Amino acid sequence: MKKALLSICLVFNSAAFAANPVFTADPAAIVHQDTVYLYTGHDVAKDNKTFFEMHDWLVFSSKDMLNWTEHGSKLAVKDFSWAKGDAWASHVIEKEGKFYWYVTARHATINGFAIGVAVANSPLGPFKDARGTALITNDMTTDTDIDWDDIDPAVFIDDDKQAYIFWGNSKPRYAKLKSNMIELDGPIHTIDVPNFTEALWVHKKDKTYYLSYASGFPEKIAYATSDNIKGPWKYQGILNEVAGNSPTNHQAIIEFKGKSYFIYHTGASQNGGGEFRRTVAIDPLYYNQDGTIKRIQMTTEGIISAQ
Ligand code: FUB
């Protein structure tokens, strides 16, 4: 793939892709063996769309955050026999040499959205539905009026190896996962943070847990901190403003070779971007001395020097 001097969105929508741009959204990323693996949703590039059209999820990788390899579609709604559409936000995590890909999709027989999980022995797959059924369905959370409240999974494994799954729209929720990573272990809890919309991401730096999420609509990314994965969470304010030309936003936060990165999507591609034709972008993330995070500066240039 062409070496990018500008942002990742220009990598994906560079001259080579101009005739047939790849639109990407809802990033999640992991670091494995000196490589960043970026998992994204995939907006279908039709004109005049009035809602999301998403059928599968894509994978990209990089060894320096600058040059990216496109691996294509590695998981699709059709890989889950219980699902019938809407490949919304997903999340990948590694545990003991296995890679678990948690996805949002619309359930075929239970009203509403659901969360499933696929597993593979490599970050590039092949991924297979790990359960044959959804892990979380809308009938397990009956305290909202909407049927899209069970979306946007984000999994975090704490230092004691306990895994937690976070998710939600309108109400942020979390539950423990069993050590097999494919079953809930105990009750579903609600999290208390202000103005929550969706897109949870949890990470830990030093001894502080960070919970970031899309707030309000159009969405800004806000965050809260805690000294305990179970909270309580202290609201710390806005981390990223509304991203260009997209009322949704969705972030991943990683550390790679000693630097921190904020990965998100915008609708700002000049190859016909928009609300339903989004593109993943990356900018640096910086911490203050007290552990709070400086507000992200979104740029066209993105990452401009190799790691
Ligand atoms: O991409 C579809 C939905 O829009 C995601 O699940 C949300 O996080 C928002 O980005």
Side-chain angles (χ1 to χ4, degrees):
M1 180 174 280
K2 183 176 165 183
K3 182 170 180 176
L5 294 176
L6 304 181
S7 70
I8 192 171
C9 58
L10 292 185
V11 176
F12 293 169
N13 291 326
S14 65
F17 289 95
N20 186 19
V22 178
F23 289 107
T24 53
D26 301 330
I30 59 168
V31 177
H32 174 68
Q33 291 180 349
D34 276 347
T35 303
V36 175
Y37 291 89
L38 170 63
Y39 301 85
T40 77
H42 183 194
D43 282 337
V44 171
K46 280 185 197 152
D47 288 334
N48 302 324
K49 286 207 307 214
T50 54
F51 199 57
F52 303 111
E53 183 176 346
M54 308 178 81
H55 306 298
D56 60 355
W57 296 271
L58 309 177
V59 189
F60 303 84
S61 69
S62 175
K63 289 189 180 299
D64 60 7
M65 299 300 283
L66 191 61
N67 298 286
W68 289 87
T69 302
E70 187 184 20
H71 300 283
S73 175
K74 293 288 181 186
L75 192 63
V77 167
K78 64 178 168 41
D79 296 325
F80 298 94
S81 59
W82 51 267
K84 71 171 180 188
D86 295 317
W88 285 14
S90 73
H91 187 105
V92 175
I93 197 159
E94 177 186 4
K95 187 185 174 200
E96 292 163 359
K98 289 194 183 298
F99 297 82
Y100 297 88
W101 197 340
Y102 298 83
V103 303
T104 308
R106 192 175 282 280
H107 203 284
T109 56
I110 300 171
N111 180 50
F113 278 83
I115 291 171
V117 52
V119 65
N121 293 320
S122 139
L124 296 177
F127 285 90
K128 287 203 161 43
D129 185 353
R131 296 169 48 98
T133 60
L135 170 64
I136 298 166
T137 49
N138 185 46
D139 55 0
M140 292 163 66
T141 57
T142 53
D143 54 347
T144 69
D145 293 337
I146 58 174
D147 72 1
W148 63 92
D149 56 313
D150 296 293
I151 66 169
D152 292 9
V155 173
F156 175 79
I157 302 176
D158 210 346
D159 300 336
D160 63 1
K161 308 276 186 261
Q162 176 65 55
Y164 300 84
I165 183 166
F166 292 76
W167 76 98
N169 178 296
S170 309
K171 276 203 179 177
R173 308 177 195 274
Y174 79 95
K176 278 185 181 177
L177 284 170
K178 289 189 179 169
S179 60
N180 64 15
M181 300 295 277
I182 64 168
E183 290 175 88
L184 298 190
D185 189 6
I188 295 172
H189 305 277
T190 301
I191 300 167
D192 183 18
V193 285
N195 212 15
F196 175 78
T197 304
E198 57 189 2
L200 284 160
W201 180 272
V202 177
H203 73 282
K204 187 178 186 185
K205 183 163 176 64
D206 303 326
K207 290 187 175 159
T208 302
Y209 297 87
Y210 294 82
L211 181 97
S212 51
Y213 58 95
S215 69
F217 200 85
E219 295 173 349
K220 301 180 181 192
I221 303 302
Y223 80 106
T225 56
S226 179
D227 58 8
N228 192 314
I229 188 65
K230 296 174 182 165
W233 295 95
K234 179 179 179 201
Y235 183 66
Q236 298 283 8
I238 301 300
L239 181 55
N240 195 32
E241 303 287 350
V242 173
N245 211 20
S246 171
T248 64
N249 210 329
H250 197 117
Q251 77 295 354
I253 294 171
I254 59 164
E255 204 167 296
F256 180 59
K257 297 185 178 172
K259 292 187 178 172
S260 295
Y261 295 93
F262 187 80
I263 311 176
Y264 59 106
H265 68 231
T266 82
S269 167
Q270 293 182 335
N271 280 328
E275 180 171 4
F276 308 118
R277 292 155 65 103
R278 299 163 291 179
T279 307
V280 167
I282 305 179
D283 278 300
L285 179 145
Y286 300 108
Y287 293 89
N288 294 308
Q289 291 234 313
D290 65 359
T292 56
I293 308 177
K294 291 187 197 296
R295 201 167 290 207
I296 300 299
Q297 191 171 349
M298 289 181 277
T299 64
T300 299
E301 290 78 10
I303 306 304
I304 54 172
S305 61
Q307 294 302 299

